[in-house]
Amino acid sequence: MKSRLHSFATAGVIMANISPSILCGVDVSKDTLDIATTNEITTQIHNTREGISQWLASLPEGSKIALESTGRYHEAFLDLAAGAGFEVYILNGHQLHHYRQAVGPRAKTDVNDAQLLRRYLCHEHGQLTSANPLNDEQKRLWQLLKQRAMLIKTRTQLTLSMQGDADFQSVSQGIVNELNLAIKNIEQWMFALAKAQNWERAIAHCRSVPGIGPINALALVTCFHRGTFQRVDQFIAYMGLDVRVRDSGRQRGKRKLTKRGEPEMRRLLYMAAWSFAKHPKFQPLYEQMRSRGLSSTAVNVAMARKLARIAFALIKKGEDFMLEA
């Protein structure tokens, strides 16, 4: 009898230690994290490495976590959770906004957002790609890429606004020169960081493709290392170059980009597509798509998507692009 009781007690300890994995939604703010672990239970912890580590230690093995991208405030959680062996999914805020509208919650609070993130993960985790934690150099490189985009946008706006205004021409030109210098410095920092990551060969593989220049190649390699992409379609979707189909009732043929992810990636690929389409080898493809009634913008987007597919394959295989004879 005593041995049987001991066996039951031992089995109880084992079952207690082997808790079933759970799905969690984490709403991130600067100071706190609201965490939904079930439909009813939500916990709030401090957004500090100590607070996050303590909570992760209580989480069953194999659990999955969804959180919304919030600038830098989610990075510590991602690093610690992924380092502890949990699968973490970073959800796009724009996509989550539409999901919120679809399910129609009556209120928007931090607790409700955590529940919404968990609900999304419960239903869609099979379609999501887990996030890849980045080191400090990779984070800095991605930040510089976005800062460069902001400076280029500012330069373009300033140049256009001052055209034809002789009184401000010299003043604006001085500002443009300073912006050009800042952009050049950022590019030098970016390539230095890429070299520290041993990405030079991957960048060279991308540059072997007609139309892809140094910055385009660097951006593609940087984007490639931001996620654990198993398929090229995941890579395309991450940049927002995948197409949303709208066929309903009499409405047919509506195709729009999802435009998720970083806009600068789409801009750089779109610009590269112009040169790619002018190459003698690919110009017939461009003309063929134009003859089907597609606009030049639509064709260049298709070309940009093709460039992304080629770059993904080259980085994955570690090969240069070879033009067929």
Side-chain angles (χ1 to χ4, degrees), residues 86-316:
F86 298 108
E87 289 188 25
V88 184
Y89 303 91
I90 307 296
L91 302 187
N92 178 273
H94 182 70
Q95 187 176 8
L96 195 65
H97 168 73
H98 287 289
Y99 187 74
R100 181 185 294 107
Q101 289 184 321
V103 300
R106 292 188 176 183
K108 185 187 183 303
T109 65
D110 293 341
V111 172
N112 287 344
D113 284 350
Q115 294 286 0
L116 185 72
L117 285 159
R118 182 183 179 277
R119 180 175 179 175
Y120 190 97
L121 181 60
C122 288
H123 293 287
E124 306 294 337
H125 76 270
Q127 306 300 320
L128 300 175
T129 302
S130 58
N132 186 25
L134 309 176
N135 59 38
D136 291 340
E137 288 79 11
Q138 292 169 342
K139 292 176 185 176
R140 179 60 175 155
L141 212 162
W142 189 252
Q143 182 184 21
L144 288 172
L145 181 67
K146 293 192 288 186
Q147 289 175 342
R148 177 183 180 274
M150 183 261 301
L151 291 176
I152 289 177
K153 183 178 180 180
T154 302
R155 183 183 64 184
T156 302
Q157 291 175 337
L158 179 64
T159 302
L160 291 175
S161 66
M162 296 298 180
Q163 279 184 347
D165 194 329
D167 294 334
F168 289 97
Q169 196 70 37
S170 59
V171 176
S172 63
Q173 188 57 51
I175 298 173
V176 169
N177 291 339
E178 290 297 324
L179 289 172
N180 287 335
L181 180 60
I183 292 169
K184 183 177 180 181
N185 288 336
I186 285 178
E187 291 174 353
Q188 291 176 348
W189 297 336
M190 289 169 63
F191 281 106
L193 289 169
K195 184 176 181 180
Q197 296 300 308
N198 295 318
W199 289 353
E200 291 176 297
R201 294 194 65 180
I203 292 172
H205 295 323
C206 291
R207 289 201 62 186
S208 65
V209 183
I212 295 183
I215 297 298
N216 308 105
L218 175 58
L220 282 164
V221 175
T222 303
C223 188
F224 178 87
H225 287 282
R226 285 192 67 80
T228 52
F229 305 107
Q230 301 300 322
R231 305 186 309 274
V232 66
D233 288 341
Q234 295 173 330
F235 185 59
I236 297 294
Y238 183 83
M239 291 185 287
L241 283 170
D242 54 329
V243 177
R244 179 184 291 116
V245 179
R246 293 186 178 180
D247 286 343
S248 178
R250 295 183 179 180
Q251 190 179 66
R252 288 289 184 271
K254 290 289 183 179
R255 303 291 185 269
K256 289 186 177 181
L257 295 181
T258 60
K259 293 188 177 180
R260 292 173 291 189
E262 176 55 45
E264 178 64 1
M265 289 302 308
R266 295 190 295 275
R267 188 190 73 84
L268 288 172
L269 281 171
Y270 186 86
M271 299 302 294
W274 283 100
S275 299
F276 183 71
K278 292 177 182 178
H279 191 277
K281 186 70 177 179
F282 304 106
Q283 193 168 7
L285 176 62
Y286 177 89
E287 298 297 339
Q288 180 186 3
M289 287 192 282
R290 288 285 284 145
S291 67
R292 286 161 39 195
L294 295 176
S295 66
S296 59
T297 299
V299 174
N300 276 312
V301 168
M303 289 289 193
R305 190 160 46 245
K306 185 176 181 65
L307 280 175
R309 291 183 179 277
I310 293 172
F312 180 86
L314 296 179
I315 298 171
K316 197 89 170 175

Side-chain angles (χ1 to χ4, degrees), residues 18-140:
I18 308 177
S19 301
S21 61
I22 60 175
L23 302 179
C24 308
V26 181
D27 181 71
V28 181
S29 64
K30 180 179 179 181
D31 300 316
T32 59
L33 301 170
D34 289 274
I35 304 170
T37 52
T38 70
N39 290 333
E40 294 82 22
I41 301 175
T42 305
T43 305
Q44 186 178 88
I45 65 173
H46 293 293
N47 191 2
T48 61
R49 300 187 75 87
E50 181 181 1
I52 295 168
S53 298
Q54 289 178 356
W55 180 80
L56 289 173
S58 67
L59 198 62
E61 184 179 349
S63 297
K64 296 177 173 60
I65 306 167
L67 65 157
E68 184 180 358
S69 176
T70 53
R72 301 181 186 179
Y73 297 140
H74 70 280
E75 291 180 351
F77 188 98
L78 172 61
D79 292 342
L80 292 170
F86 298 108
E87 289 188 25
V88 184
Y89 303 91
I90 307 296
L91 302 187
N92 178 273
H94 182 70
Q95 187 176 8
L96 195 65
H97 168 73
H98 287 289
Y99 187 74
R100 181 185 294 107
Q101 289 184 321
V103 300
R106 292 188 176 183
K108 185 187 183 303
T109 65
D110 293 341
V111 172
N112 287 344
D113 284 350
Q115 294 286 0
L116 185 72
L117 285 159
R118 182 183 179 277
R119 180 175 179 175
Y120 190 97
L121 181 60
C122 288
H123 293 287
E124 306 294 337
H125 76 270
Q127 306 300 320
L128 300 175
T129 302
S130 58
N132 186 25
L134 309 176
N135 59 38
D136 291 340
E137 288 79 11
Q138 292 169 342
K139 292 176 185 176
R140 179 60 175 155

